[in-house]
Amino acid sequence: MSELTELAHRIGKEVIGPDAIDVDKHARFPKASIDALRKAKLLSAYVPKELGGMGVSIRDLTEICHVLGQYCSSSAMVYAMHQIQVVCIVRHGLESPAMREYLKNLVEHQYLIASVTSEVGVGGDVRSSLCALEDAGDRFKVEKNASVVSYGAEADALLLTARRTKDAPPNDQVLVLLEKKDTTMEKRGEWDTLGMRGTCSMPFLVSGTAKKDHILPLPYSEIASRTMVPFSHLVWTSLWSGIATDALRRARIFVQTEARKKLGTVPPGAIRLAEVNSMHQSLRAVIEDAIAEYERVKDNDDLLSSVRYTVRMNNLKVSVSQHIVQMVNHAMMICGIWGYKNDSKFSLGRHLRDVHGAGVMVNNDRLLGTNASLLLVHKEET
C-alpha cells in the first residue's frame, strides 16, 4: 500500500466515514471531509513538483478516489470532479504564465474547482454551448444558465465551457477559468436526490469575468477528447468501485459472523459472496487495464480522438455503472434485513442509492447512442 493510499484511508476512517451518514441524510456538502483533504494538500496532488505540488500520477489519483469511495461517495465525487479540473489545467495550461501562477496559488490555498459544462437548453450535450464569451477589452465576460454545478456554492473557482464568441457555432467552445472573486452565482433550484446527496449539484445562473489569459489555449473539443472525458471515466469508475468494495466488505463480515455462530456449516450467503467477490475482482481488473492504457497513450492525440478509444472509454463507464448496481444488490441479499435497515452496521441503503447515480451521470443511453453512431462508420483495426 502506497503512502498516499494509507493517507487516504486514514482520512477516510477518521473524518470522511464518520461524517458520511449525516452528509447523506441532510444532503449537505461534506465540508469536514474536504477540509481534511485540504489539510493533507491532496487537492493539489497532481500539480507538478516544480509548481509546489506532489506531481502524482493519474494512477495515484484513481487509487485515492477508490479509497475515498469506500467511506463516502459524495466526498469521493467532489474530490474526483475537482481533480478532473486540475488535470485539465495541468495538461493543457502549463504554457500559460497565468495558469502556472494559478496552480501555484492552488497549492498554497488548496482551492476547490468546480465544473460548469452542462447548460439549460442543449439537452445534455456538453459538446455544444448557447452561452458565449463577450469581449471586454483585456477581459471577457460570460453568463451561463447551468443545469448542474456540483458543489458550486462551495467552490473557489469554476472551469466553464462557452462559445468562443457570440458569432461562433455551438461546438466552437473554449474552457475558461473563473475565480470566485470575479463570479456571481444565482441558485436556480435545489438538490434533493436519491443518492450522491452531498455533492450539492444544484443549477445556477453563473455570471463572471476574467482576463483573457484565463482562457485555456486549446479548443474545448481537444481538451475533452484528450483529457476531460477519459480521465472522468477513470476517476468515476474508480470511486464507484470503491462503493462496491465497501459493500463487499460488509457482506463478507456478515457471512463470517454467521459462520462463527454455527461452526462447521456454510452460511446461505457464502456462495453468493463468492460470486460477488469474483465480479468485483473482474471489475477492478477492467478498470486497472483502462488506467494503464490511458497512461500509455495519454500523449497520443490521434489515438485519444479515435473511434476505437472513444467507444472503449464509453463502454468502460457504461459497464462499470451497470455492474456495481448488481454487486451492491447481491451484497444486500447476503446481509438480508441487516443490509436493508438504515441503523445496522451492515446497512447498504446509502450504497445502493449512490450507485444508481452512476448510470444517469452522463446518461448511459446517451453514451450508447454515441457508440451506436460511431460503430456505423468504424472500421475494425487489426
Side-chain angles (χ1 to χ4, degrees):
M1 185 182 296
S2 70
E3 291 183 8
L4 277 176
T5 303
E6 290 180 355
L7 176 60
H9 271 299
R10 184 167 72 249
I11 295 172
K13 291 174 182 177
E14 296 176 358
V15 181
I16 299 176
D19 204 33
I21 294 176
D22 191 71
V23 165
D24 174 72
K25 181 178 180 179
H26 298 287
R28 64 168 177 82
F29 180 74
K31 185 178 185 304
S33 302
I34 302 306
D35 284 348
L37 295 171
R38 276 194 171 105
K39 186 176 180 181
K41 299 288 187 180
L42 287 177
L43 295 191
S44 59
Y46 191 74
V47 175
K49 291 182 179 180
E50 65 188 79
L51 299 178
M54 297 181 184
V56 304
S57 69
I58 285 174
R59 177 177 294 280
D60 291 327
L61 290 183
T62 59
E63 184 57 32
I64 292 172
C65 290
H66 177 247
V67 171
L68 299 182
Q70 297 172 45
Y71 297 96
C72 173
S73 58
S74 290
S75 299
M77 183 57 74
V78 171
Y79 184 77
M81 292 293 293
H82 164 78
Q83 291 301 339
I84 294 166
Q85 316 318 307
V86 175
V87 170
C88 285
I89 296 174
V90 171
R91 282 180 50 78
H92 304 291
L94 286 184
E95 293 182 4
S96 163
M99 292 297 102
R100 292 178 69 87
E101 185 63 27
Y102 182 78
L103 289 172
K104 290 179 182 178
N105 291 332
L106 187 152
V107 173
E108 180 181 357
H109 301 289
Q110 294 296 293
Y111 292 142
L112 182 67
I113 311 174
S115 171
V116 191
T117 55
S118 61
E119 186 174 11
V120 174
V122 298
D125 181 10
V126 298
R127 294 296 187 98
S128 64
S129 292
L130 298 177
C131 68
L133 302 188
E134 297 181 38
D135 189 82
D138 66 339
R139 302 178 71 85
F140 66 83
K141 58 182 180 179
V142 65
E143 182 176 276
K144 183 169 187 173
N145 190 6
S147 52
V148 174
V149 185
S150 295
Y151 57 93
E154 305 292 336
D156 300 300
L158 307 170
L159 268 189
L160 177 146
T161 51
R163 286 183 293 144
R164 188 178 301 276
T165 67
K166 63 180 181 180
D167 297 321
N171 63 350
D172 183 8
Q173 297 168 286
V174 289
L175 193 62
V176 301
L177 177 67
L178 298 177
E179 297 185 66
K180 193 169 188 176
K181 61 184 177 63
D182 298 318
T183 308
T184 60
M185 299 181 66
E186 178 186 327
K187 191 168 71 169
R188 290 294 182 91
E190 300 297 331
W191 182 250
D192 186 6
T193 52
L194 181 69
M196 290 288 179
R197 292 171 56 78
T199 62
C200 301
S201 304
M202 291 167 282
F204 286 93
L205 179 64
V206 179
S207 303
T209 180
K211 289 185 176 180
K212 290 180 179 176
D213 58 11
H214 277 47
I215 304 172
L216 269 66
L218 282 179
Y220 173 67
S221 59
E222 295 183 37
I223 295 174
S225 62
R226 297 182 191 180
T227 301
M228 183 174 281
V229 172
F231 183 69
S232 294
H233 291 340
L234 294 177
V235 289
W236 290 346
T237 55
S238 294
L239 78 86
W240 293 332
S241 71
I243 302 172
T245 296
D246 188 61
L248 178 59
R249 180 188 65 83
R250 295 183 185 213
R252 184 181 65 253
I253 294 173
F254 180 84
V255 170
Q256 291 170 343
T257 301
E258 291 298 298
R260 284 193 290 271
K261 291 178 181 178
K262 300 178 181 179
L263 296 177
T265 65
V266 178
I271 293 177
R272 191 182 290 266
L273 176 64
E275 180 186 12
V276 178
N277 183 71
S278 175
M279 292 172 62
H280 183 261
Q281 190 174 51
S282 297
L283 185 80
R284 290 296 300 160
V286 167
I287 296 171
E288 285 294 319
D289 183 61
I291 294 168
E293 181 179 17
Y294 182 68
E295 288 192 316
R296 287 194 306 269
V297 305
K298 66 180 185 295
D299 296 318
N300 187 333
D301 298 340
D302 290 338
L303 191 149
L304 292 173
S305 302
S306 69
V307 170
R308 185 194 71 82
Y309 193 75
T310 300
V311 170
R312 170 156 165 55
M313 294 308 294
N314 286 346
N315 284 339
L316 172 72
K317 188 270 180 183
V318 171
S319 177
V320 172
S321 65
Q322 292 173 339
H323 280 89
I324 57 171
V325 173
Q326 186 180 5
M327 291 170 62
V328 177
N329 263 323
H330 280 353
M332 182 170 285
M333 291 299 294
I334 292 168
C335 296
I337 190 63
W338 302 108
Y340 194 71
K341 289 169 62 71
N342 286 326
D343 59 353
S344 162
K345 66 179 181 180
F346 300 111
S347 176
L348 290 165
R350 174 167 55 88
H351 299 65
L352 189 58
R353 288 185 288 103
D354 287 343
V355 295
H356 273 288
V360 297
M361 186 175 182
V362 184
N363 197 293
N364 282 353
D365 284 352
R366 175 176 292 278
L367 295 179
L368 290 172
T370 298
N371 281 1
S373 297
L374 292 174
L375 289 171
L376 290 176
V377 298
H378 179 48
K379 295 180 179 179
E380 192 66 35
E381 299 170 6
T382 58

